[in-house]
Amino acid sequence: MKLNYHILKPLLLFIIAISYTNYGYAQVKTIAGKVSASEDGSAIPGVNILVKNTTTGAVTDVNGNYALSVDENDILVFSSIGYSTQEVAVAGRSVINLTLEADVKSLQEIVVVGYGSQLKKEITGAVQTVTSKDLKDIPVSQINQKLQGRLAGVQINQTTGKPGQGMT
């Protein structure tokens, strides 16, 4: 069997070129750590950790721990409601433990609503509160019926006379 060197040589060069292309890229590795509060050192659950300028990220667990796959040259952005945002360069480390400072100014500007939270400056309407004490002793079966007539500017109407039917 005779080898055809004019075909084998370009194939060998191609294989060598492909094997060297991986050295130009940053190495992907897993980084882990714990995020805690500066006041008392307690763990902060729910801290968002994002790789800067990407959508890759993680969230701390109940004990403030996280793990994330990153490149060695990435920058991590740590943010949480009520705490100052911090940016930390990975710089070849495999463990980054971080302490977040409370942002008292931003705590005063956030309004927590029934379905999330909003900045105080972004609320354009009136905010009203109904407590469980106000609704506790009303003898009806649906929460809509309990709210009927309790909030100014909110209309809750029963569309049919059938028991158990929805309201609008």
Side-chain angles (χ1 to χ4, degrees), residues 67-90:
L68 182 64
S69 294
V70 297
D71 291 336
E72 290 184 2
N73 301 325
D74 284 340
I75 297 174
L76 301 179
V77 180
F78 293 81
S79 64
S80 182
I81 294 176
Y83 293 92
S84 298
T85 300
Q86 289 189 25
E87 293 184 7
V88 178
V90 174

Side-chain angles (χ1 to χ4, degrees), residues 20-137:
Y20 282 110
T21 57
N22 290 336
Y23 291 108
Y25 297 107
Q27 294 180 345
V28 175
K29 65 183 198 172
T30 300
I31 191 162
K34 183 174 182 173
V35 181
S36 56
S38 63
E39 302 84 41
D40 56 3
S42 63
I44 307 174
V47 175
N48 295 313
I49 302 116
L50 287 174
V51 177
K52 191 172 184 176
N53 299 325
T54 70
T55 57
T56 304
V59 178
T60 57
D61 63 10
V62 176
N63 299 318
N65 298 316
Y66 71 93
L68 182 64
S69 294
V70 297
D71 291 336
E72 290 184 2
N73 301 325
D74 284 340
I75 297 174
L76 301 179
V77 180
F78 293 81
S79 64
S80 182
I81 294 176
Y83 293 92
S84 298
T85 300
Q86 289 189 25
E87 293 184 7
V88 178
V90 174
R93 296 183 282 180
S94 60
V95 175
I96 296 179
N97 294 322
L98 189 70
T99 303
L100 290 180
E101 298 285 331
D103 189 4
V104 179
K105 179 182 143 195
S106 72
L107 280 177
Q108 297 171 354
E109 297 175 356
I110 294 175
V111 175
V112 177
V113 293
Y115 49 86
S117 61
Q118 295 178 327
L119 292 176
K120 194 174 192 178
K121 67 181 180 181
E122 292 177 355
I123 295 177
T124 58
V127 176
Q128 297 184 29
T129 304
V130 178
T131 64
S132 61
K133 209 177 355 176
D134 298 334
L135 304 175
K136 185 170 84 172
D137 294 326

